[in-house]
Amino acid sequence: MADLPRRHKIVLDEDRLPTRWYNVVPDLPSPPPPPLHPGTLQPVGPDDLAPLFPMALIEQEVSSERFIDIPVEVQDIYRLWRPTPMFRAWGLERALGTPARIYYKYEGVSPVGSHKPNTSVPQAFYNAQAGVKRLTTETGAGQWGSALAFACSLFGLECEVWQVGASYDQKPYRRIMMETFGARVHRSPSDLTESGRRFLAENPEHTGSLGIAISEAVEVAAQDPTAGYALGSVLNHVLMHQTVIGEEALEQLASVGETPDLIVGCTGGGSNFGGLTFPFIRETLAGRMAPVIRAVEPEACPSLTKGTYQYDFGDTAGLTPLLKMHTLGHDFVPDPIHAGGLRYHGMAPLTSHLYELGLMEAISIGQTECFAAAVQFARTEGIIPAPEPTHALAACIRAALQCKETGEEKVILTALCGHGYLDLGAYDSYNTGQMVDRAFSDDDLAAALASVPKVPA
Ligand SMILES: *Cc1c(COP(=O)(O)O)cnc(C)c1O
């Protein structure tokens, strides 16, 4: 190990914690199309959203300010784990024999092991400030639910989570984590809501989906004036809260004299990807750098690469406003791949808009290639990634191997947005040769797209 390099870890002092979130919207050549009321097909106003969200978050959702101050109470909590470290992946580079330099921003150091508390903490804060007593939400594998349960416990809010049935049955540890933080967790579909009862009537053994769990959580919050609803991805304010990732990463790369040539992130609803890339898109639009920006999604749930760009519901029962986004159709139920956080039928309107503007590109990768990449990463870098960012790592490895062929010394940046220590069942499935790639069915896609509401252009 005589050639052991000097610097693996690039840290920022606590006093370099970002004090503002970045809103990419005012820097774009055109704003994203607004959410529409499903009845009137007119843009939704603050009053339409007020039953679910506090005014501070509604203002952020529609804001045209470039920067929004992070409340000091939120900064104080961020400092429990932020600024997060960035690592140079020397071990992985050496194993690949690539001249590329690979950097990863590690969000797994947060209290729940992912980037999600970057937004659950401010969401709980603004709700508590507005006098809300209880927050409802959905969760798939449980990363978002545990992040919101953690944040609610800090601000004395009740937290009620509808968890996708398949994960509730198969992955008890995240549920136990949510309950330990004081949340109540229901298997979705549940008999507690009209939406849930409808899906249970169709199939009493229903294994659920994120879209159904959203319907249940929204329904309960809309009916209780003391309750609010929190969403872990997709919305503008969520992506904005995540920009602390990219702001820190910009500074960390600059501190070692690097400018990225390629930035890669995994996309489920688009929040860790937006959080990492938006500050770099700002720098790109200002002419200070020109990285390729690449989203990576699962082959089994390819909303950007195979979905259509149109108005659709954010949930399955059709209770949310219509969002202009890349969608597979709100009825689409993706195959049960291990990356539960990437199994959502739509994509953030903001990410979808950037894709339409040509400011980023997207690819999809099957899960066996992703886990092969993750195992190579674990054996060379020492961290077992969450199933979701294995997609980004597989794309990094593809790009690094291409550099090996061409001899290009590209600088590659990615977000390792969570660790996989509560997802070891997925690794067991891979390690024992049982993991399969799920074929995507164009027929299922066509059927799901047929139910998307028709909105005149
Ligand atoms: C929730 C989650 C995702 C998917 O959500 P995005 O909004 O696309 O980031 C990805 N990775 C991890 C670790 C998650 O918890």
Side-chain angles (χ1 to χ4, degrees):
M1 299 295 273
D3 63 340
L4 193 69
R6 280 176 308 166
R7 197 145 180 220
H8 286 266
K9 193 171 173 182
I10 304 156
V11 292
L12 290 180
D13 284 344
E14 215 177 282
D15 63 6
R16 301 306 305 163
L17 178 80
T19 56
R20 302 183 302 178
W21 292 300
Y22 170 59
N23 178 16
V24 74
V25 172
D27 285 337
L28 297 177
S30 64
L36 301 183
H37 189 285
T40 64
L41 298 185
Q42 294 303 306
V44 296
D47 290 349
D48 297 313
L49 300 172
L52 296 181
F53 301 107
M55 208 42 76
L57 290 174
I58 295 173
E59 280 165 12
Q60 291 180 5
E61 187 63 21
V62 299
S63 174
S64 49
E65 297 290 317
R66 294 181 78 222
F67 291 100
I68 291 182
D69 288 336
I70 305 175
V72 287
E73 294 90 338
V74 172
Q75 291 184 37
D76 278 347
I77 296 168
Y78 275 175
R79 267 192 287 271
L80 286 175
W81 73 94
R82 306 209 72 84
T84 60
M86 175 182 280
F87 293 87
R88 167 96 186 256
W90 289 101
L92 180 63
E93 288 170 23
R94 198 185 288 137
L96 296 171
T98 179
R101 302 194 287 282
I102 305 172
Y103 294 87
Y104 57 96
K105 176 77 168 153
Y106 185 43
E107 292 293 308
V109 295
S110 85
V112 298
S114 76
H115 65 290
K116 297 275 185 2
N118 296 332
T119 185
S120 70
V121 170
Q123 289 193 51
F125 168 77
Y126 289 117
N127 274 284
Q129 216 184 25
V132 169
K133 302 290 177 228
R134 168 166 78 130
L135 280 179
T136 68
T137 198
E138 69 294 329
T139 197
Q143 283 143 326
W144 168 242
S146 51
L148 192 68
F150 156 69
C152 284
S153 70
L154 297 179
F155 292 105
L157 293 172
E158 284 176 46
C159 181
E160 200 161 354
V161 184
W162 274 262
Q163 182 171 25
V164 175
S167 300
Y168 184 96
D169 297 337
Q170 290 161 19
K171 299 184 175 175
Y173 289 109
R174 287 261 171 207
R175 171 179 58 74
I176 297 167
M177 196 167 172
M178 291 183 260
E179 289 168 347
T180 304
F181 283 124
R184 272 197 295 158
V185 186
H186 310 292
R187 185 187 188 281
S188 172
S190 74
D191 59 7
L192 301 169
T193 66
E194 209 172 293
S195 320
R197 287 190 291 272
R198 211 174 85 202
F199 292 108
L200 282 179
E202 281 169 20
N203 174 7
E205 311 286 298
H206 209 304
T207 50
S209 73
L210 268 176
I212 292 172
I214 295 174
S215 299
E216 294 203 88
V218 166
E219 184 185 317
V220 170
Q223 288 169 359
D224 176 355
T226 69
Y229 165 71
L231 189 63
S233 185
V234 177
L235 298 178
N236 296 350
H237 67 269
V238 177
L239 273 57
M240 189 186 74
H241 296 157
Q242 294 295 350
T243 58
V244 290
I245 303 172
E247 295 292 7
E248 289 176 7
L250 258 178
E251 200 171 318
Q252 283 163 309
L253 273 188
S255 77
V256 290
E258 296 278 39
T259 312
D261 298 300
L262 172 65
I263 306 178
V264 183
C266 68
T267 45
S271 75
N272 89 84
F273 175 82
L276 174 71
T277 61
F278 289 175
F280 288 89
I281 287 175
R282 173 187 69 219
E283 299 304 303
T284 302
L285 290 169
R288 287 188 280 268
M289 53 178 70
V292 170
I293 295 181
R294 185 171 296 151
V296 192
E297 52 188 16
E299 236 163 45
C301 192
S303 52
L304 280 171
T305 53
K306 288 215 166 165
T308 55
Y309 185 50
Q310 59 183 324
Y311 276 103
D312 194 8
F313 290 108
D315 71 316
T316 305
L319 304 180
T320 69
L322 294 169
L323 304 172
K324 181 94 182 248
M325 60 183 178
H326 282 264
T327 181
L328 300 167
H330 60 275
D331 281 343
F332 186 81
V333 179
D335 270 330
I337 52 166
H338 290 280
L342 305 184
R343 291 181 66 221
Y344 181 61
H345 66 272
M347 178 53 56
L350 208 39
T351 310
S352 297
H353 182 58
L354 289 172
Y355 188 55
E356 289 299 306
L357 290 173
L359 294 171
M360 54 175 277
E361 53 182 63
I363 59 170
S364 71
I365 304 185
Q367 64 178 353
T368 53
E369 180 180 340
C370 296
F371 275 82
V375 166
Q376 185 170 31
F377 182 86
R379 291 177 187 177
T380 51
E381 294 293 322
I383 300 172
I384 297 180
E388 293 82 8
T390 64
H391 292 75
L393 290 172
C396 285
I397 289 176
R398 280 189 187 180
L401 290 175
Q402 207 165 22
C403 289
K404 183 177 176 176
E405 274 175 31
T406 61
E408 284 173 290
E409 296 182 14
K410 283 190 182 166
V411 175
I412 303 173
L413 170 66
T414 193
L416 184 55
C417 52
H419 67 60
Y421 301 122
L422 293 174
D423 305 278
L424 293 175
Y427 284 87
D428 194 41
S429 156
Y430 177 78
N431 293 340
T432 55
Q434 293 173 60
M435 185 178 284
V436 291
D437 283 323
R438 303 284 179 160
F440 181 78
S441 155
D442 289 312
D443 290 344
D444 291 352
L445 173 62
L449 285 178
S451 68
V452 173
K454 305 281 175 287
V455 176

